Amino acid sequence: MSVPAGSPQPAASARSPPQLGGAAALGATAAAPAGPGATPPQQNGPAQNPVPVLPGYGLPSQSYLAPSGAGKMTSLPLGGQCGSYYPGLYAVPSSSVGTPPTANHPGAPQVFGRAAPVPPAMGPTPGSLHGAVPPAPHLHTSASQPYPAFVNHYNSPAMYSASSPVASQGFPSTCGHYVMPAVSNAACASVSYPSLPAGDPYGQHMFTSQNAPAGRPLREPSLSGPKPATSHLSPLPPAPPAPPQQYHQQQSVSGFNTLSWSAAGLPPAQDNLSRNHTGSLVTTNNNPPSTGFLSAVADSLSCPVVQNAQPPKSSPVVSTAFSGTSSTRTTPPAATHPAEPVASVPQPPELLQQKGMQFGDYVNNRASSAPTPLSSTSDDEEEEEEDEEAGVDSSSTTSSASPMPNSYDALEGGCYPDMLSSSASSPAPDPVPEPDPTPALTTSQSSKIAKPFGYGYPTLQPGYQNATPPLTSGAQPSNTVYPGFQQYAQQYPAVNQLSSSLGGLSLQSSPPPESLRPVNLTQERNILPPTPVWAPVPNLNLDLKKLNCSPDSFRCTLTNIPQTQALLNKAKLPLGLLLHPFRDLTQLPVITSNTIVRCRSCRTYINPFVSFIDQRRWKCNLCYRVNDVPEEFMYNPLTRSYGEPHKRPEVQNATVEFIASSDYMLRPPQPAVYLFVLDVSHNAVEAGYLKILCQSLLENLDKLPGDSRTRIGFITFDSTIHFYNLQEGLSQPQMLIVSDIDDVFLPTPDSLLVNLYESKELIKDLLNALPNMFTNTRETHSALGPALQAAFKLMSPTGGRVSVFQTQLPSLGAGLLQSREDPNQRSSTKVVQHLGPATDFYKKLALDCSGQQTAVDLFLLSSQYSDLASLACMSKYSAGCVYYYPSFHTTHNPSQAEKLQKDLKRYFTRKIGFEAVMRIRCTKGLSMHTFHGNFFVRSTDLLSLANINPDAGFAVQLSIEESLADTSLVCFQTALLYTSSKGERRIRVHTLCLPVVNSLADVYAGADVQAAICLLANMAVDRSISSSLSDARDALVNAVVDSLSAYGSTVPHLQHSGLMAPTSLRLFPLYVLALLKQKAFRTGTSTRLDDRVYAMCQIKCQPLVHLMKMIHPNLYRIDRLTDEGAVHVNDRVVPQPPLQKLSAEKLTREGALLMDCGSVFYIWIGKGCDNNFIEDVLGFPDFASIPQKMSHLPELGTLSSERARSFITWLKENRPLSPILHVVKDESPAKMEFFQHLIEDRTEAALSYYEFLLHIHQQICK
Amino acid sequence: MEAVVFVFSLIDCCVLIFLSVYFIITLSDLECDYINARACCSKLNKWVIPELVGHTVVTALMLISLHWFIFLLNLPVATWNIYRFITVPSGNMGVFDPTEIHNRGQLKSHMKEAMIKLGFHLLCFFMYLYSMILALIND
């Protein structure tokens, strides 16, 4: 019972709500379980009795047809749009300039999708307690409504859900039990109407299959349920309403076992009845195809849908939803391939050479594949990767399929000519490819001799020769510089033949590899390019380049992988991957398929870089095992053609998402569960965050990702823990106080987490009341630890997300912390202590949570030291995230308050995945040894992520265990298996393909300096926690010194002319200097311990894009913005001013500069700044009248104001943390904040950039 | 008396050998993914102190009974055990921390350490056996 504002509450005593309310509550709770009290029969009722359900079925499907039509209509014009959209998205890095505005939308549609169901949900709920049918219509409407909304947001993705008669989706065909419905299904599939005739068998079958999983979770709580209830009796004797309530509670628990899946007991089963669209459930597939299908698609991807009913009865059925136009997807390869015959068509030499390399690859792979068994049945009992990721052994189901070499030529057609040319001669597994009449032959032969690398980069050789002379000005004989190449050239005459056979193409004139041009760093004054730095593109064959994963999601520090660990050691560069796996994507092919095709031995998902040996077999690109192509994979739902497995969307996209079958579940997909644990001590109330939080939650309540099962709960704590009973039927929320913090228990385990839609009014009441409930509290203690234990207990049956808001050092109960910071040491240059946690309480708790699929997100809003180092552990190991608002106060620090508000909005509405695991696989020979990010490493390559959010980044360090000499390409694959907020099990797969090189020069040519810096930053954080900060700093400097001196030794004659670096690494020293001056690693400048630790947390869990801005801010001059080079985003013109280097020399007195530091923007106004600018943009007459604290740009109608604002808005878009803006006047004291980011300048504690270079040079020469 | 010392050392050494083998088995289980890191670490951390005590007792016994050579032989290992135990950061869950064991090749180094200890204890075993027999004969 919520205690309204003002009623002072005695602390630390078990309190009870007023009698009356309590009685009401009592009745309510008694009533609530009463319905379900009779449940055991009722629960099964619908299952055994399909009749009442069918109407529920028929009805929505009727209402369905209309929206599906609408979807069709709307998507038609879009097809054209996405055609033009697509190339930009994948090919050019600059396209990401265009993406930000739209990139946000995957969050947004969720929002809409969720907004839609609300009104209908409200209808049925108040009246009926646990009606079986009501959810159905609401669900269907939810699926249908979104379309119009999405049209705006999704320009591109059109969904091709071709087919769907669904043979036996999800069931292995061996499963006799399921055969019946499957067959009947197929029979009805020919009926292209979505709903009816087959209704009966479906309904029935669905229930039976659904009951099995539903039964499991229900059993567990029966054990745990009564326990808390009984323990409740003793500590709370004075609470008058409690005992009877418990009694009922207990009864309800024992009789009914409500709690596990959802408060309402039935919904899981019911939902699944009605929610036939959850594609991941087995039952789904038995439903009328188009209904289930369409809604699954609309639900999940929320984009316009074109549905193609697939008529053939006999053909094996694949149902694939695919966003993006099929035509655009498929045409590029088709267009490029015809140009293949190598010698005949004049093509840019690079391309040709790369093709050559490609041939080698295929041939080579073939050769190495030969010894491997084709499909030995002995592998059947392969250890499945952690049951969750087990999945159907897809290949095994169809392993009987025989290879069809005869039809092979026709089938492969012009599409994979490289492959064809090498393997067409010997369709059977033949270790030695026979001679071929094509030019490719020469290469294939040479590859047979030994390694394919000699010609792997033949183009580069002349390129390098060209590159060196102009720079060194001494005509250095190339063979001394690059002996390796010369050697190979001699060793492989075939390559020379090939190049000579290319005739007039004149390889010598090919452009030099820009990335390898030596740069004299000490002489280059403007090292920073005027445009943002893009990720280097791996030097691959054009086709592969096009297919490769976007660098935004998946990046490697070396885009040319060295062949051996020895070579990597020589290069002295870190090797690792930077991942952003759950990034908001505007375009994502979603595949619904009966069998997810995976390698039988290493469980790799089929991807664009596998090779098809013939029509029936494909070779895994990670372990080189030859697998069978399952029968249904032969059918391509996009082109509706048979026998083109290489044109399936899985093989055409490096990033795909599969809807997983029940094999990928340990338990039924969990509902979205959100629990808020709020600090309401005096300190917290003083800071006033509650108001912002409640307000924000109220606004976004409907947009919380989830379905009809979404549950929500609240716990507040000071020195006691307060629970809120929000059980549907209560007249107002009921507060239950537990003062026994040494042994926390849940007063009413099943009414604390309530269904969001059923108890919405109560939740709203609570949120409105909360900010005022504790205004007069004098409680200064904070029992965070016990509150977290309670949260864990509350969440453990389901899992979900716990959001903890904390404003001070926990001072009571388990997990209490002492202040460890010595303010005098803040600017110490020697030792920075206490970077690690003080206690293992939070770590243990996090691991417990992680085991129960619960993630803890920490919002720390403190004004003093709160030992973030210890507190952050709760998020670090449970895959949560940490937000930190130093000196937060609603009125005194409005910019922080605004930031919190914006961050919360994003936090509430962004996508979320539950009970996730991520596995990273890489080609045999490579191995991962260290992971960075927020997660728990459950086994060597399996990351357990209780939650996954779109703002989480990960890093992995790699080592080369075996020589990669027998391959020319390596691949990395991350598979993220998660439960979407709609209760679907999904797998998002990214695959990255990189070439292998064997010369040091090539390794340097492919270095990705930004990725390397981010990986180094992660490593440095680890080092500073495990060893010391100064060690970490030394290691960072050594990384530059070592790599540059190693580079110098590859070009010996350059050594004395200055500090040389390859172009690819020219920013390396600058970025390392930036890291050294970053809050996390700086010394000598006063840095609060929490700030430092937070910066470290950020480094560990931010994705690369955001991290780079944090490390090296972008500086722009904004007082003279022009439309020159501007980009157009959503009808807005966004000016693109050039980047300025981070030095005070760029701060002209007449200018105004904008610094983008990721989470904060500074606008620096020079003293002599043009009054026009000040007036037009800032809205003040002159410099003197600008206030000291200004955090907004006024909306003025002037052109320069519009430009400035559109530029800033553009920068702000798509950030996990919404940046706050500070206008800094040249003379204001706040300018120190700004100046500390000018990392190229000298400060009292750190070197300037030039000095740093000299220092490095000195180190190298030593 | 001498015999009693060595009989005790022998028994203690046997226990330590078994512990080393147990460590190796559990770690290799983790390596092969048969158990998860959490279970593995809680299993192993339980035995860190017994191992440390067991070995320190033998070392101290050797010092008391004035077997200098054996004492000096045992000293480095005992010191290492104690050092490792003391230097565990306050936030870690013991010598074996589930959140770190997969990082930076820790698993491998733990494995190596367990192997070396096994070898060492085997060596000691035979030494004690020899000494014990010698002592029994002398008695």
Side-chain angles (χ1 to χ4, degrees), chain A residues 212-256:
Chain A
R216 192 162 19 137
L218 284 173
R219 231 173 291 132
E220 291 163 18
S222 70
L223 295 175
S224 60
K227 220 190 294 169
T230 42
S231 68
H232 184 184
L233 277 165
S234 50
L236 262 185
Q245 194 187 341
Q246 286 157 18
Y247 175 71
H248 285 285
Q249 210 56 59
Q250 215 167 354
Q251 284 226 325
S252 77
V253 165
S254 54
F256 174 39

Side-chain angles (χ1 to χ4, degrees), chain A residues 842-864:
Chain A
Y842 296 98
K843 203 179 210 176
K844 277 184 176 151
L845 187 100
L847 293 184
D848 288 337
C849 285
S850 175
Q852 300 296 331
Q853 308 296 350
T854 305
V856 185
D857 294 342
L858 172 67
F859 287 79
L860 187 62
L861 316 118
S862 68
S863 40
Q864 324 112 20

Side-chain angles (χ1 to χ4, degrees), chain A residues 794-823:
Chain A
L794 195 52
M795 295 297 277
S796 48
T798 45
R801 181 174 81 184
V802 178
S803 315
V804 178
F805 288 77
Q806 172 72 5
T807 59
Q808 57 175 324
L809 212 56
S811 56
L812 273 185
L816 74 114
L817 298 168
Q818 257 88 40
S819 177
R820 295 190 290 167
E821 187 187 30
D822 177 4

Side-chain angles (χ1 to χ4, degrees), chain A residues 533-676:
Chain A
V533 183
W534 300 114
V537 182
N539 191 352
L540 289 167
N541 161 320
L542 256 191
D543 296 335
L544 292 184
K545 238 183 226 175
K546 216 173 288 168
L547 292 172
N548 222 347
C549 193
S550 150
D552 292 338
S553 318
F554 211 150
R555 230 162 133 168
C556 184
T557 55
L558 301 177
T559 52
N560 292 335
I561 302 289
Q563 206 177 72
T564 57
Q565 181 71 34
L567 186 60
L568 176 62
N569 291 344
K570 245 189 259 171
K572 304 272 185 196
L573 288 169
L575 176 59
L577 301 172
L578 278 296
L579 305 168
H580 191 181
F582 203 54
R583 196 166 65 95
D584 286 334
L585 293 166
T586 45
Q587 198 180 32
L588 175 68
V590 178
I591 293 162
T592 314
S593 173
N594 295 347
T595 46
I596 295 173
V597 182
R598 300 173 68 180
C599 171
R600 276 166 49 112
S601 73
C602 67
R603 311 299 294 148
T604 301
Y605 296 82
I606 197 164
N607 59 68
F609 311 107
V610 302
S611 40
F612 282 92
I613 292 181
D614 57 36
Q615 191 197 348
R616 289 290 180 170
R617 288 172 305 158
W618 60 278
K619 189 164 72 174
C620 174
N621 52 340
L622 267 62
C623 68
Y624 306 125
R625 188 197 149 89
V626 177
N627 293 279
D628 294 328
V629 175
E631 181 61 27
E632 76 163 284
F633 201 74
M634 299 297 293
Y635 173 75
N636 187 347
L638 291 184
T639 55
R640 295 207 220 166
S641 55
Y642 184 83
E644 290 183 332
H646 55 272
K647 286 192 178 166
R648 292 264 307 191
E650 292 97 319
V651 190
Q652 290 293 321
N653 295 281
T655 297
V656 292
E657 187 153 290
F658 294 98
I659 310 245
S661 63
S662 58
D663 300 287
Y664 291 81
M665 301 169 198
L666 276 183
R667 53 176 192 180
Q670 69 164 84
V673 181
Y674 305 107
L675 178 66
F676 294 87

Side-chain angles (χ1 to χ4, degrees), chain B:
Chain B
M1 189 59 212
E2 185 113 333
V4 177
V5 168
F6 282 111
V7 168
F8 177 79
S9 310
L10 201 64
I11 296 169
D12 194 284
C13 193
C14 287
V15 173
L16 290 175
I17 289 174
F18 278 117
L19 267 183
S20 299
V21 172
Y22 176 71
F23 273 49
I24 291 172
I25 292 176
T26 317
L27 286 172
S28 62
D29 272 0
L30 179 65
E31 220 168 24
C32 306
D33 215 354
Y34 294 139
I35 51 172
N36 72 37
R38 185 92 201 266
C40 169
C41 291
S42 64
K43 267 184 178 177
L44 294 184
N45 281 331
K46 250 187 283 180
W47 291 105
V48 167
I49 293 180
E51 189 207 4
L52 187 149
V53 171
H55 197 249
T56 316
V57 165
V58 177
T59 315
L61 197 66
M62 289 302 143
L63 177 65
I64 293 163
S65 59
L66 303 177
H67 291 96
W68 291 108
F69 176 70
I70 302 180
F71 168 69
L72 289 178
L73 195 71
N74 271 304
L75 193 61
V77 180
T79 322
W80 167 250
N81 274 342
I82 295 170
Y83 168 79
R84 198 178 56 148
F85 184 73
I86 290 173
T87 50
V88 170
S90 56
N92 277 18
M93 291 158 76
V95 173
F96 300 90
D97 190 283
T99 56
E100 313 227 319
I101 197 155
H102 283 296
N103 273 4
R104 295 186 295 278
Q106 274 198 14
L107 186 54
K108 269 184 197 155
S109 60
H110 282 311
M111 194 73 158
K112 214 182 284 169
E113 191 189 311
M115 289 285 196
I116 290 169
K117 274 189 190 159
L118 178 65
F120 173 80
H121 290 317
L122 280 175
L123 180 75
C124 284
F125 178 82
F126 289 112
M127 211 147 46
Y128 298 147
L129 193 68
Y130 174 77
S131 305
M132 184 189 73
I133 293 168
L134 213 62
L136 285 175
I137 292 170
N138 285 347
D139 276 355

